[in-house]
């Protein structure tokens, strides 16, 4: 006890005692007052007795981040504990995205899951499992006055993440051969992979989606959107969300986290973009392209959101500039998409007498038709189309935001420059594709 913090030891003992008392009370509540099992339970939940039994039973379960049971409930093979914060950083979503903030899962004998609940107890932000792994002196003193006994228990509790037995797959597990060489006839040119279920990542996805759908903050944000009011919290939607049930009526047989989700595992829609064919008509009988552009639902939505945000008089800081830039870039993307949808029209449609668009807009939307007409007339090609269209866009966006906000030259220059940057980037990509 020489190097221990007595206050901390007392707190840890109280934490353990509270856990045991609650579990004992829950079991006693199910028994009648004269039931002889009550005495057995009191004996079982004496701290030394319960901790000794827990240290023995902890070998029946394993902490994991990737589990096998979700692949097939009868598969028997290796589960893995691979801390996300030591995994290589990739450009695709994976367990590495969790960093050090993740929830480990537990597999094994469901009857021993109470041991895991015990090890999940937290003191000063650290779980009893973490303290066991760190061989915390105060936890040792809290577990038992017998130092050797306490160290043995902590060693047993700390073995929870360790893999049990040799690495093995199973006939009911998924396996696939992955080519690593150039000769498909050579077995050594393949690696045999055994995919596991990313349990910790799936749990984070579930928690995030539940928060976005049902938390009070998310509900308030959706209400603000409905009432056309600004909300600092974005509204996130998950269309075509599917739920995969694992474990049937006994989700605890799959894993602890699966049990906490009542067997629910979310599947995000993994579908290619659905192309919506539409009857694209040339812009005839009008001198501006913006009335049609302004009728696009996504444009109206983003302009409305940007206007609401600016009207809320946000603090002038980096975060405000970042959010404003996101909306403007989204509107610019729609503007470029608007042009792309008109490009498949037969070149030359802008040369019809019914087309009253200005020359820069004609060239922007119908470049081949305009260039053919100019070549036939022996006239030079315009070189400032991007600059003039960017200026028209900046004027249009200023007009959308001007009432009641004061929009002037600084905003005009900001919108125009962003549009020009996007056009140049698109032109560079086009040359690269060619």
């Amino acid at each position: 006890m020489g190097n221990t913090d007595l206050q901390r030891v007392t707190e840890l003992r109280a934490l353990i005692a509270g856990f045991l008392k609650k579990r004992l009370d829950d079991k006693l509540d199910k028994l009648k007052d004269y039931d002889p099992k009550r005495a057995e339970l009191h004996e079982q939940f004496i701290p030394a007795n319960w901790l000794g039994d827990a240290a023995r039973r902890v070998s029946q379960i394993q902490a994991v981040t990737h589990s096998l049971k979700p692949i097939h409930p009868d598969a028997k093979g290796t589960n893995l504990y691979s801390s996300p914060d030591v995994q290589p950083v990739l450009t695709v979503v994976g367990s590495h995205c969790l960093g050090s903030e993740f929830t480990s899962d537990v597999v094994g004998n469901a009857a021993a899951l109470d041991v895991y609940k015990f090890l999940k107890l937290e003191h000063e932000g650290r779980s009893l499992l973490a303290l066991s792994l760190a061989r915390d002196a105060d936890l040792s003193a809290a577990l038992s006055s017998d130092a050797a006994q306490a160290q043995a228990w902590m060693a047993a509790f700390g073995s929870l993440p360790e893999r049990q037995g040799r690495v093995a797959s199973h006939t009911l597990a998924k396996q696939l051969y992955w080519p690593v060489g150039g000769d498909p006839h050579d077995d050594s040119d393949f690696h045999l992979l055994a995919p596991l279920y990313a349990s910790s990542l799936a749990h984070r996805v579930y928690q995030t989606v539940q928060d976005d759908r049902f938390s009070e903050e998310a509900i308030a944000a959706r209400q603000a959107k409905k009432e056309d009011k600004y909300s600092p919290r974005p509204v996130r939607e998950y269309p075509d969300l599917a739920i995969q049930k694992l474990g049937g009526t006994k989700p605890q047989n799959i894993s602890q986290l699966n049990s906490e989700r009542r067997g629910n595992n979310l599947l995000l829609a993994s579908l290619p973009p659905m192309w919506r064919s539409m009857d694209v008509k040339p812009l005839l009988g009008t001198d501006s392209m913006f009335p049609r552009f302004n009728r696009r639902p996504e444009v109206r939505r983003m302009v409305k959101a940007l206007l609401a945000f600016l009207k809320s008089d946000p603090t002038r800081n980096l975060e405000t500039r970042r959010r404003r830039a996101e909306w403007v870039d989204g509107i610019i993307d729609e503007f470029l998409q608007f042009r792309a949808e008109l490009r498949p029209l037969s070149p030359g449609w802008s040369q019809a007498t019914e087309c009253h668009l200005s020359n820069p807009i004609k060239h922007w939307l119908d470049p081949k038709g305009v260039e053919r007409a100019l070549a036939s007339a022996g006239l030079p090609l315009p070189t400032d189309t991007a600059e003039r269209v960017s200026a028209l866009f900046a004027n249009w966006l200023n007009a959308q935001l001007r009432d009641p906000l004061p929009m002037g030259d600084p905003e005009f220059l900001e919108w125009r420059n962003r549009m020009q940057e996007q056009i140049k980037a698109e032109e560079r990509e086009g040359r690269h594709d060619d």
Side-chain angles (χ1 to χ4, degrees):
M1 298 286 284
N3 296 323
T4 56
D5 181 336
L6 292 179
Q7 175 65 27
R8 196 160 172 267
V9 172
T10 302
E11 292 172 356
L12 285 166
R13 282 178 177 162
L15 181 68
I16 295 171
F19 172 81
L20 296 180
K21 183 177 185 308
K22 184 175 186 312
R23 291 194 64 82
L24 174 60
D25 290 344
D26 290 343
K27 291 181 178 294
L28 291 176
D29 288 344
K30 299 174 183 175
L31 301 177
K32 297 186 181 301
D33 292 342
Y34 52 82
D35 195 315
K37 290 183 179 178
R38 298 179 72 88
E40 294 179 16
L41 287 174
H42 279 290
E43 182 72 15
Q44 178 184 340
F45 277 87
I46 292 173
N49 293 344
W50 191 90
L51 290 170
D53 182 57
R56 178 185 61 79
R57 291 186 295 125
V58 72
S59 62
Q60 301 173 14
I61 56 177
Q62 180 193 356
V64 302
T65 55
H66 296 72
S67 57
L68 179 60
K69 289 287 184 182
I71 305 296
H72 194 290
D74 294 329
K76 297 177 181 178
T78 298
N79 300 280
L80 290 180
Y81 183 92
S82 179
S83 184
D85 57 352
V86 299
Q87 295 181 20
V89 176
L90 304 174
T91 56
V92 296
V93 174
S95 296
H96 61 279
C97 298
L98 301 178
S100 59
E101 300 294 329
F102 69 97
T103 305
S104 57
D105 203 353
V106 171
V107 297
N109 186 359
L113 288 178
D114 59 321
V115 181
Y116 178 63
K117 292 177 181 176
F118 166 73
L119 294 176
K120 280 179 64 179
L121 295 176
E122 289 192 355
H123 180 261
E124 297 176 342
R126 300 185 69 189
S127 68
L128 297 190
L129 174 60
L131 295 177
S132 296
L133 289 168
R135 297 293 192 270
D136 187 272
D138 294 336
L139 176 61
S140 176
L143 289 174
S144 174
S145 57
D146 182 337
Q149 181 67 83
Q151 287 297 319
W153 287 347
M154 284 210 300
F157 294 145
S159 68
L160 185 64
E162 295 177 2
R163 188 181 67 236
Q164 299 169 0
R166 64 183 181 86
V167 176
S169 187
H170 190 262
T171 185
L172 296 176
K174 289 182 180 178
Q175 299 178 33
L176 59 94
Y177 285 98
W178 188 264
V180 295
D183 185 1
H185 302 288
D186 186 350
D187 289 348
S188 64
D189 278 358
F190 290 88
H191 281 175
L192 180 58
L193 304 182
L196 297 176
Y197 189 76
S199 186
S200 294
L201 177 63
H203 195 67
R204 173 69 64 80
V205 170
Y206 179 84
Q207 290 175 315
T208 302
V209 173
Q210 292 297 98
D211 183 73
D212 286 339
R213 296 176 71 189
F214 305 116
S215 69
E216 292 183 2
E217 294 81 4
I219 294 172
R222 285 198 294 272
Q223 185 64 28
K225 178 183 178 183
K226 186 177 180 180
E227 296 174 356
D228 199 19
K229 295 180 179 177
Y230 170 71
S231 170
R233 171 166 177 142
V235 174
R236 299 189 180 96
E237 297 178 348
Y238 301 89
D240 301 323
L241 189 68
I243 296 178
Q244 181 186 26
K245 299 285 286 188
L246 296 177
T249 58
K250 297 181 178 178
Q252 68 275 15
N253 287 348
I254 299 298
S255 73
Q256 171 63 24
L257 293 184
N258 187 65
S259 177
E260 293 179 12
R261 298 191 299 268
R262 299 176 299 281
N264 294 327
N265 290 262
L266 303 180
L267 300 177
L268 302 178
S270 180
L271 300 170
M274 300 295 291
W275 181 259
R276 292 177 300 173
S277 298
M278 61 182 69
D279 185 16
V280 179
K281 298 179 180 178
L283 280 165
L284 303 177
T286 178
D287 60 358
S288 174
M289 60 182 162
F290 288 104
R292 184 186 290 188
F293 174 65
N294 208 14
R295 288 198 294 270
R296 297 170 72 88
E298 193 63 11
V299 173
R300 292 204 307 271
R301 185 191 68 79
M302 286 191 286
V303 169
K304 183 184 291 185
L306 175 58
L307 183 60
F309 176 64
L310 297 177
K311 286 169 66 176
S312 69
D313 194 20
T315 304
R316 296 185 178 183
N317 55 23
L318 182 62
E319 175 62 16
T320 295
R321 291 195 293 274
R322 183 189 66 78
R323 298 192 63 176
R324 185 184 67 180
E326 284 183 352
W327 272 306
V328 173
D329 287 345
I331 296 169
I332 289 175
D333 286 344
E334 278 293 313
F335 191 67
L336 298 177
Q337 179 63 27
F338 172 73
R339 179 187 64 163
E341 291 172 2
L342 288 167
R343 284 290 180 90
L345 293 173
S346 298
W349 62 266
S350 64
Q351 303 306 302
T353 55
E354 298 87 350
C355 183
H356 307 311
L357 298 173
S358 63
N359 288 334
I361 297 178
K362 287 181 178 179
H363 190 214
W364 170 254
L365 299 176
D366 181 27
K368 290 183 179 178
V370 170
E371 290 167 9
R372 285 180 189 172
L374 292 175
S376 298
L379 298 173
L381 298 178
T383 58
D384 59 349
T385 298
E387 290 80 359
R388 297 178 68 175
V389 170
S390 296
L392 290 172
F393 171 83
N395 274 328
W396 167 81
L397 185 53
N398 257 6
Q400 305 308 305
L401 305 175
R402 184 170 291 129
D403 184 17
L405 300 173
M407 291 288 155
D409 290 344
E411 291 78 15
F412 170 86
L413 293 174
E414 171 72 14
W415 318 145
R416 188 196 65 179
N417 293 341
R418 296 190 78 86
M419 173 58 82
Q420 281 189 272
E421 290 172 4
Q422 291 298 317
I423 292 174
K424 290 178 181 177
E426 190 182 57
E427 289 176 347
R428 286 195 296 271
E429 290 178 4
R431 286 196 294 270
H432 179 73
D433 292 341
D434 293 341

